[in-house]
Amino acid sequence: MIRCPETGRAIPTDMKTDRETFRCSAVFFARTYCKICRISHEWFAKEAWVHEPTEELRKAS
Ligand SMILES: [Zn+2]
């Protein structure tokens, strides 16, 4: 996920990457189409995060 610089809302990057791969690509640069602004935002991997909704549940159990 990345944070939309215009609205501050989280938007999906539509990239399927696991956390370890993501972490190793610190200088990774990409462009994602923002459906909110209807333009493409450029972003760096360090500004983005991997959305893993079940991670906290796994840790707790
Ligand atoms: Zn946007």
Side-chain angles (χ1 to χ4, degrees):
M1 306 286 282
I2 62 167
R3 176 107 31 215
C4 171
E6 299 299 324
T7 66
R9 292 179 59 178
I11 58 176
T13 60
D14 292 329
M15 293 179 62
K16 303 299 181 187
T17 183
D18 63 82
R19 179 176 284 240
E20 287 306 311
T21 302
F22 191 80
R23 188 176 291 151
C24 291
S25 55
V27 294
F28 182 79
F29 178 81
R31 185 174 288 181
T32 294
Y33 181 75
C34 177
K35 292 173 183 172
I36 303 168
C37 304
R38 298 188 178 184
I39 58 172
S40 292
H41 295 311
E42 296 173 347
W43 54 275
F44 291 97
K46 63 180 181 180
E47 300 171 335
W49 67 95
V50 179
H51 183 54
E52 295 180 287
T54 61
E55 183 181 24
E56 293 305 314
L57 289 174
R58 283 204 301 269
K59 282 180 179 174
S61 63

